[in-house]
Amino acid sequence: MVDKKIVLHFPKRLVDRPIVSHLIKDHDLEFNILKASVTQDEEGLMVLELKGKQEEYDKGIAYLKEAGVIIESLSQNVIRNEERCTHCGACITICPVGVFELDTTTRQIKFQEKKCIACGICIKTCPPRAMELHF
Amino acid sequence: MAKTIEEINQKIKKGEAVVFTAEEIIGVVKEKGLKEAAAEVDVVTTGTFGPMCSSGAYFNIGHSKPRIKLGGGRSYLNDVPAYTGLAAVDLFLGATATPDDDPRNKIHPGEFNYGGGHVIEELVAGKDVRLEATAYGTDCYPRKKLETWINIKDLNEAVLFNVRNAYQNYNVAVNLSNKTIYTYMGVLKPNLGNATYCSAGQLSPLLNDPYYKTIGIATKIFLGGGVGYVAWQGTQFNPTVARSENGVPKGGAGTLAVIGDLKQMSPRFLVGTSMLGYGPTLTVGIGVPIPILSEEILKYTTVTDDQIIGTVIDYSDAYPNRRNEPVGEVTYAQLKSGKITLQGKKVPTASLSSYPRAVEIANTLKDWIKTGKFELTQPVAYLPGPETGLTFKPLNERPIER
């Protein structure tokens, strides 16, 4: 089983083609779109989580490459500066995917990094600026 | 059984004082009963750690050669403007001061990554800070320009002086509008998308002494990791707000003005803080010891989160337009559960003050007292209670005729 977050760049000529649809229909993969946008230069960008058997995953990636999609691994990730975090909890209701969880006994805030989609919303909303984007 | 502060201090000196935090005392009194516990317990320690905007520090930087009079000129610490309307080399830096070239809210919401609170944190951490000043020059203070690094250890005085801290209870903030708003109570999502609060609840200093029976002017406290004192009642002091039957105010009531030597404080308990779309500020750690002089005083310290009510206020309309239209009332136990119900909707909650660090403060103060490092002081005057009829007045504008 693999479970990977990847960044797909769609050149302008591919933006109107149903590539992700084919990727899923033709391969036994589970997907979750974490982010999708078309830039000013009309290039497509998508952050995708792909889950499935290694063999299916490899075939899927090969299909994307052949179609002309440029693939990168998710190169940015959000980390918590433990020195700066005061465990106030302001982040809890801000994160769209519920990465931050309150431990009701210690009242400390757990940062469940695995759930993070690196959207970065927490970075500017954290009062002591403890959340950092790393490339 | 009435004890005096003098008697408690004798026990502290001998290392025999019986001390609990305001969290621990709840269980102690449940087990032993009020009478027995009041006879045994000497001190209950409280703590709070939250953003407190009416904070600041003053400094005396020493005289340069030749001399300069900063008063009447302009001074900046790491580009953050400091107040110069004092004598030659005294400066006051407020926590919310913002660099002149900060874009503020021109692109809304502004980030406010650096301000007065951050400069105070860096000074306390022992980092060098850049002082840039211009002055008009006089016969006795000829110099017009000064650029130098300064360090807290070289300053004659560095004193934290906060005019309003440790609010006794506070509003719970929500947003009833259909767009996200950026407030001093954090980012509030539309249509009751979240609710924020900012109090340590059952551990908070003034919630454990709701009628200010022990906390007064000259009360020695934990301030920013060091020792400080209550200097006065804080600004906006409002003892006459609505209270629950247990005496606990349902909204912002009493406040403390506090003072202490910045040189012995720590950046763990003075943290430069940025509120998106609002401004920079300082998160301050305060702990107040409550001497258990009577059963009544002990009873107040046993207050629990389910007995403390917070008033829910809409920050999209009612608050900015100063309309007294609460959305509802909730207890801190409900707030701390992670969800409250408002207008039939489940609303997730978030705290702006750190409870774990408030616990750390109450425990630190407890250790100081138990090991004889920290004796209590007798207030020289008490804070104005509800019997004074003191209220918090709004500004009623009077047009200026031209």
Side-chain angles (χ1 to χ4, degrees), chain A residues 84 86 93 107 124 127 129, chain B residues 111 113 121 189 274 354:
Chain A
R84 254 205 96 77
T86 66
T93 58
R107 308 225 49 98
K124 289 171 190 168
R129 297 287 189 264
Chain B
E111 295 183 22
N113 289 317
E121 181 191 330
K189 300 202 280 190
S274 307
S354 167

Side-chain angles (χ1 to χ4, degrees), chain A residues 1-92:
Chain A
M1 248 337 229
V2 277
D3 180 355
K4 279 190 181 165
K5 287 172 190 166
I6 52 173
V7 183
L8 307 180
H9 293 273
F10 297 83
K12 195 173 166 182
R13 66 189 162 84
L14 295 180
V15 166
D16 57 355
R17 286 177 47 189
I19 288 176
V20 174
S21 173
H22 278 295
L23 170 71
I24 303 313
K25 272 190 181 161
D26 302 347
H27 306 89
D28 185 17
L29 290 169
E30 231 182 83
F31 76 112
N32 186 16
I33 298 172
L34 303 175
K35 195 175 183 178
S37 63
V38 177
T39 66
Q40 277 182 338
D41 307 325
E42 295 176 38
E43 283 191 345
L45 175 110
M46 184 179 278
V47 182
L48 204 60
E49 184 180 7
L50 276 183
K51 256 190 230 178
K53 284 191 186 131
Q54 184 73 51
E55 195 191 332
E56 290 293 320
Y57 178 85
D58 292 342
K59 275 193 207 163
I61 295 293
Y63 160 73
L64 289 172
K65 280 184 180 164
E66 206 176 308
V69 177
I70 298 148
I71 306 167
E72 286 172 2
S73 60
L74 189 62
S75 56
Q76 60 181 35
N77 63 317
V78 173
I79 64 147
R80 182 164 77 182
N81 180 337
E82 299 297 337
E83 284 284 298
R84 254 205 96 77
C85 174
T86 66
H87 294 270
C88 68
C91 49
I92 286 184

Side-chain angles (χ1 to χ4, degrees), chain B residues 174-189:
Chain B
V174 295
N175 174 7
L176 295 180
S177 80
N178 57 15
K179 62 175 211 288
T180 299
I181 58 170
Y182 301 86
T183 73
Y184 70 86
M185 290 297 285
V187 179
L188 296 171
K189 300 202 280 190

